[in-house]
Amino acid sequence: MSAGAAAIGTARLPGGHYGPLGQLRSEWTKMRTVRSTIWALVATVVAVIGIGALATAVTAAHWRSGGIVDRVNFDPTARSLAGLFLGQIVIGVLGVLVMSAEYGTGTIRATLSAVPNRPLVLACKTAVFALVALVASEVLTFGAFFLGQALLRGSTPYATLGQPGVLRAVVGAGLVLTVLGLFALGLATIIRHTAGALTAYVGLLLVLPLIIQAFPQSFQHSVMKFMPLVIGERMAATRATTHAFGGIPLLSPWVGFALLCVYSAAVLVIGGILMVRRDA
Amino acid sequence: MIEAHGLTKHYGKTLAVDSLSFEVRPGQVTGFLGPNGSGKSTTMRMIMGLDRPDAGEARINGRPYRDLPWPLHEVGALLEAKAIHPGRSAFNHLWMLAQTHGIGRRRVDEVLELVGLAEVAGRRAGKFSLGMGQRLGIAAALLGDPAVLLFDEPVNGLDPEGILWVRTLLRHLAGEGRTVFVSSHLMSEMALTADHVVVIGRGRLIADRPVAELVADRSRQFVRVRTPEPQRLVPLLESAGGQVDPGTDGALTVTGLGAEAIGDLAGEHGVRLHELTPLQASLEEAFMDLTRDSVEFGARQEAGPAATVPSAPGPGAAR
Ligand SMILES: Nc1ncnc2c1ncn2[C@@H]1O[C@H](COP(=O)(O)OP(=O)(O)OP(=O)(O)O)[C@@H](O)[C@H]1O
Ligand SMILES: [Mg+2]
C-alpha cells in the first residue's frame, strides 16, 4: 500500500449522503433522453386530442340525422374526451416502459450501483413520471376539450367550463390518465418485462370488463363500477346517464378516482417490496 | 478494500457460490479466476449489493454496499452484462449517473476523454461496438473516482490493442493505490496483469495467493526422461523421492527431482539415458490442475502435466 492509498477515496468523500434530489434529477434525465418517452408522449397527444377532435367533428356533421334520444342525452364534454380510451393505453405504455426498460437493458444495475436505496429509486422514478404524466395529461384533456367544443359550436349544443360537472370532468380525466400511468409503472415494477407488464395492464383495463360482461347481470352490476375503465369513463362524463352507461350502478367520480389511486398505490407498494427483496 | 465473509448464493437448486471468504487489498491488481460458471459474476453482484447472499456478507471499506454514503465515490464496477440503455447517448448515460452524486459535467467529459469516447459522446450507445461498450462501462466505473474498482471480464471481446489498454489501465489504477478486483477465466491474462489471484471453482475458494508464488511453484516443474531401461530407472527415481509417470510415448515424466539429480542417479547406476529435459507446466495448466476437481467432479486425471513447454524461457525456470 503506497502512501497515496489512504488519500484515494475516503479523504475526498463529501459529507452527507446521496439523496432524493440527485435521484430526481437522474430520473428526469433518464426519462427525457430516450426516444420511447418522446414517442409515447406524441402518441398520447394523437390519441387524446386527435380522437377527441375526430369524435366531435363527426358528431357535428351528423347531428341533424341523429335520433331524439341521442340529442337529449348528448354530453359534449364526454364526447370531446373520447380520446381518453386510447390515451389510457398509450400512457400505460409509457408507464410500463419507464420501469421495464431499466430491467430490459440492464440499466437498473447501474442505477442501483449508484443509489442502492431501492425504495428511494422507485419513489423518485414514480414522482418524476407522475409529474410528467400529470402535466401532459392535463394539457391534453384541456386541449381536447377546447378543440372539441370549438368543433361542436354552431352545429350542436356545446359545453363551457362553467357548466355543472364540466371542469371536474376535464380535470378529472387528466388525473385518471396520470394515475393509470402510475398503475402501469407499478405493474412493470412487479413484472419487470415490457411485454408481460403491457399484457397485464391491457388485460386489467380492457379484457377484465369484457370477461365480466359474460357473467349474469346481477354480478355485472355489483363489480363493473370498480373497473378502472368504467371509473375513467364516469369521470369524463358530466352526468351518469343510463344512456351512456347502460344502467350499471356507478361510483361517484371522486370516489371512483380515490379507488383508482388505491389500486395504483397497491401495485407500487407491492412492486417496491419485491424490488427490495429480489436480486436486481 | 473488499472483504467477503462466507458468501453463499443459491439459484434454485444450483449452488452458485459456496461459503466464499477472501480479502482484496488496495494497491494491487487482484485477479479473480475460475472456470465458466464457477460463480465469479455472482460474487461480484453480491459485493455490489445487487444480488442478496443467502448467507455471509460482503463489505467495501468496512461497510456493506447499501450503507455506503456515496457509492460512486467509493466503488466503481464494470459488470458482466451491459448495463446501458441502447437508446441513450454515452454522455447521457454517464450524466444520469453523475447527477445522483452531484458530479459535474466536467468530470463526465473527463472520463469520456480518458476512455477515448469523447468523439462519440453524443452517439446512441446501441450503435457502439463491443469494445466501445466496454469502454463506456469503464468510464462509468471511473466516474466517481472511487478507491475500489471491480471489473468482470473487462477484456471480453476486445481486440489486442484494447486488451493492452485495459491491462495498462488496471496496473495504473492499482499503482495509484486503488483496490482493483478483476475477473477472468484466463490464467495467462492474469499472470500478466495481476499481483495476486483468488481462484474459485464451483463457487468454492481454491487458492488465494500471490501470482509470483504461483509462477515459481516448484510443483509445476518436471523432467522428461527417456531410457531404454525404465524397469531399472523407475525404482531408483522413486527411492530417491521422485514421482514417475509413464507417458504414452515411452517417455517418463518425473516430478520431485531435478534434471541434475536424475542424471547423477542414472550415471551412478550405469543406466543409459536418451533424453533428459527439464520442463515446466504453463500457468494455464497449473490453473486447470487447481480447478480440475471442481470442473469434472471425481474424474481427476492421474497423469502428470499433459502438454508441456520447455522451461528455459519460462519465468519460473530458475530455482
Ligand atoms: N440469475 C441467475 N439465475 C439462475 N442461475 C444463475 C444466475 N446467475 C448465475 N447463475 C448460475 O450460477 C452459477 C455461477 O454463475 P456465474 O455467472 O456467477 O459464473 P461465472 O464464474 O461468472 O462464469 P463465466 O466465466 O461464464 O462468466 C452458474 O451455474 C450459473 O448458471
Ligand atoms: Mg461471469
Side-chain angles (χ1 to χ4, degrees):
Chain A
M1 206 190 305
S2 71
I8 286 177
T10 47
R12 314 158 288 107
L13 270 188
H17 202 276
Y18 67 83
L21 214 63
Q23 188 56 25
L24 286 168
R25 290 199 182 107
S26 173
E27 291 297 340
W28 167 240
T29 301
K30 272 193 261 187
M31 196 158 170
R32 68 176 176 78
T33 54
V34 292
R35 290 185 192 178
S36 50
T37 313
I38 313 298
W39 283 120
L41 281 174
V42 168
T44 317
V45 174
V46 172
V48 177
I49 302 221
I51 292 191
L54 198 67
T56 45
V58 169
T59 306
H62 295 276
W63 184 253
R64 294 190 179 283
S65 55
I68 182 74
V69 179
D70 283 344
R71 291 199 208 174
V72 168
N73 286 301
F74 181 55
D75 185 343
T77 307
R79 188 60 49 91
S80 66
L81 296 175
L84 189 64
F85 181 80
L86 198 58
Q88 290 169 353
I89 297 171
V90 186
I91 202 136
V93 173
L94 184 58
V96 164
L97 279 179
V98 161
M99 185 49 98
S100 67
E102 288 249 353
Y103 286 99
T105 61
T107 316
I108 191 71
R109 284 188 290 273
T111 299
L112 295 181
S113 299
V115 176
N117 183 339
R118 297 180 186 192
L120 179 72
V121 169
L122 180 59
C124 291
K125 191 181 275 298
T126 305
V128 169
F129 173 80
L131 195 66
V132 171
L134 181 67
V135 170
S137 300
E138 291 299 340
V139 167
L140 291 179
T141 51
F142 273 95
F145 174 77
F146 287 123
L147 182 60
Q149 301 316 313
L151 289 169
L152 291 173
R153 192 172 312 182
S155 318
T156 78
Y158 63 91
T160 58
L161 288 178
Q163 291 165 357
V166 173
L167 185 60
R168 192 263 307 139
V170 178
V171 172
L175 289 175
V176 164
L177 276 180
T178 306
V179 173
L180 283 173
L182 290 171
F183 184 70
L185 198 161
L187 284 178
T189 313
I190 296 172
I191 297 171
R192 302 200 283 190
H193 291 104
T194 307
L198 276 179
T199 307
Y201 178 73
V202 171
L204 289 170
L205 191 70
L206 304 182
V207 182
L208 193 57
L210 288 179
I211 293 172
I212 290 170
Q213 271 175 12
F215 283 85
Q217 205 179 42
S218 59
F219 181 71
Q220 287 185 37
H221 279 187
S222 56
V223 299
M224 207 57 136
K225 57 176 173 279
F226 302 124
M227 294 297 107
L229 193 68
V230 176
I231 292 173
E233 275 178 29
R234 172 64 191 96
M235 181 62 98
T238 54
R239 293 164 287 148
T241 57
T242 314
H243 181 71
F245 292 95
I248 58 167
L250 296 170
L251 300 173
S252 79
W254 291 118
V255 171
F257 178 70
L259 186 62
L260 215 52
C261 291
V262 170
Y263 294 161
S264 301
V267 285
L268 283 167
V269 167
I270 294 170
I273 291 170
L274 289 173
M275 191 178 179
V276 169
R277 291 204 179 155
R278 289 194 291 215
D279 293 336
Chain B
M1 174 82 138
I2 305 171
E3 301 154 81
H5 299 292
L7 279 181
T8 302
K9 180 74 184 176
H10 294 263
Y11 291 108
K13 284 202 159 34
T14 316
L15 180 56
V17 175
D18 186 2
S19 350
L20 189 57
S21 299
F22 58 84
E23 277 182 11
V24 186
R25 284 175 206 85
Q28 56 181 16
V29 175
T30 301
F32 191 28
L33 278 161
N36 289 127
S38 55
K40 304 182 294 292
S41 301
T42 304
T43 303
M44 286 192 161
R45 285 199 305 272
M46 287 193 285
I47 293 170
M48 295 299 292
L50 295 170
D51 282 20
R52 179 199 294 260
D54 297 328
E57 77 169 345
R59 287 171 170 268
I60 290 173
N61 300 331
R63 294 191 230 207
Y65 197 93
R66 63 175 179 280
D67 292 344
L68 299 176
W70 297 105
L72 294 185
H73 289 311
E74 295 193 60
V75 197
L78 170 76
L79 295 178
E80 186 172 45
K82 270 220 191 116
I84 298 162
H85 193 301
R88 196 171 281 133
S89 72
F91 178 87
N92 283 328
H93 175 70
L94 297 176
W95 180 228
M96 68 92 175
L97 290 174
Q99 283 177 309
T100 62
H101 281 55
I103 296 169
R105 279 169 187 270
R106 277 215 0 239
R107 177 61 186 168
V108 174
D109 291 335
E110 207 174 282
V111 287
L112 280 166
E113 190 73 45
L114 184 71
V115 301
L117 291 178
E119 307 281 285
V120 294
R123 267 173 54 187
R124 305 202 297 148
K127 302 252 187 263
F128 280 11
S129 69
L130 200 60
M132 288 158 84
Q134 289 294 74
R135 283 167 188 260
L136 180 52
I138 291 172
L142 297 175
L143 189 61
D145 196 17
V148 176
L149 288 147
L150 285 82
F151 297 98
D152 198 357
E153 315 237 5
V155 300
N156 239 4
L158 293 189
D159 56 20
E161 195 192 339
I163 292 174
L164 187 63
W165 177 76
V166 169
R167 195 184 290 157
T168 313
L169 178 72
L170 296 180
R171 301 259 14 126
H172 177 75
L173 292 168
E176 290 177 329
R178 299 179 212 253
T179 303
V180 181
F181 191 43
V182 52
S183 85
S184 171
H185 47 255
L186 291 177
M187 177 69 109
S188 48
E189 173 62 32
M190 284 301 103
L192 292 168
T193 316
D195 307 292
H196 194 96
V197 287
V198 171
V199 183
I200 63 169
R202 296 194 155 214
R204 285 168 170 272
L205 187 70
I206 290 178
D208 181 355
R209 51 198 296 211
V211 171
E213 216 177 283
L214 223 54
V215 168
D217 194 339
R218 291 182 59 133
S219 71
R220 288 175 45 242
Q221 302 181 0
F222 60 100
V223 183
R224 188 163 67 209
V225 182
R226 277 178 204 277
T227 171
E229 312 167 89
Q231 68 285 1
R232 285 186 60 209
L233 184 63
V234 171
L236 285 174
L237 294 173
E238 284 178 346
S239 57
Q243 289 96 48
V244 186
D245 269 313
T248 46
D249 58 350
L252 304 173
T253 301
V254 184
T255 42
L257 287 176
E260 304 84 355
I262 297 169
D264 289 350
L265 206 59
E268 276 167 32
H269 294 82
V271 180
R272 287 172 297 150
L273 294 183
H274 289 176
E275 183 185 349
L276 184 63
T277 317
L279 293 166
Q280 182 182 32
S282 70
L283 274 172
E284 218 56 64
E285 284 152 6
F287 171 54
M288 273 162 26
D289 249 13
L290 275 173
T291 57
R292 181 168 294 136
D293 283 338
S294 62
V295 177
E296 330 162 78
F297 204 62
R300 188 174 221 291
Q301 286 165 292
E302 278 312 317
T308 52
V309 291
S311 70
R319 294 182 237 159

